[in-house]
Amino acid sequence: MTTTETEMFETIRYTADIVLIAAGHVLLIERGWDPFEGMWALPGGHVDVGETSVTAAARELAEETGIFVPVAGLRQVGTFDAPGRDPRGRYVTVAYAATLPQTFAPSAGDDATAARWWPLNDLPELAFDHAAILRVAVGSTA
């Protein structure tokens, strides 16, 4: 391949994120490693081989927070694929949302060093483009 042909191709990684809302709060995880180590983010991660994005969202939520929401309880918020949204390369995420009637105590796991509910009107700075994802999700639940 020529350089021009090589530049036409890029590796795209497929991920799923979840916005879980309860009682005016959103569940966030503190990232355990780079990029954005120590920053707060939506639960989420890579879609595994043979898995759908909605199944990945439910799995990642459970792995990172200990909170289980059935796939049937998730609604798609949108696809986020802007170049540069992740410093590791091209990542395309499908975001999902769910609303619970009350908060449940999270238990950080997997690559999350902490998990906690944050008031929607008092959020920390979020990693990646998660603030934009959250805005879309909250707008879709209003």
Side-chain angles (χ1 to χ4, degrees):
M1 276 187 207
T2 67
T3 302
T4 305
E5 289 172 325
T6 303
E7 291 171 355
M8 291 174 38
F9 299 97
E10 65 182 331
T11 300
I12 297 175
R13 293 161 186 92
Y14 187 31
T15 60
D17 292 315
I18 182 162
V19 177
L20 188 60
I21 296 172
H25 291 71
V26 64
L27 185 62
L28 299 176
I29 58 116
E30 185 177 29
R31 290 186 52 81
W33 56 64
D34 279 329
F36 304 111
E37 180 178 5
M39 288 189 70
W40 292 92
L42 297 169
H46 291 92
V47 177
D48 290 342
V49 174
E51 189 176 44
T52 64
S53 60
V54 70
T55 302
R59 175 184 51 77
E60 288 285 347
L61 176 66
E63 288 176 358
E64 293 181 349
T65 71
I67 295 177
F68 297 86
V69 174
V71 168
L74 302 180
R75 71 182 178 293
Q76 189 172 326
V77 171
T79 302
F80 297 82
D81 63 355
R85 64 177 297 274
D86 190 311
R88 296 170 291 185
R90 187 67 183 266
Y91 278 76
V92 174
T93 196
V94 179
Y96 294 87
T99 303
L100 299 178
Q102 65 188 48
T103 61
F104 295 91
S107 174
D110 197 24
D111 60 346
T113 58
R116 70 171 268 207
W117 293 95
W118 286 83
L120 285 168
N121 62 358
D122 189 24
L123 295 171
E125 181 181 354
L126 300 181
F128 307 102
D129 58 352
H130 289 185
I133 294 171
L134 181 57
R135 280 192 300 276
V136 172
V138 170
S140 72
T141 62

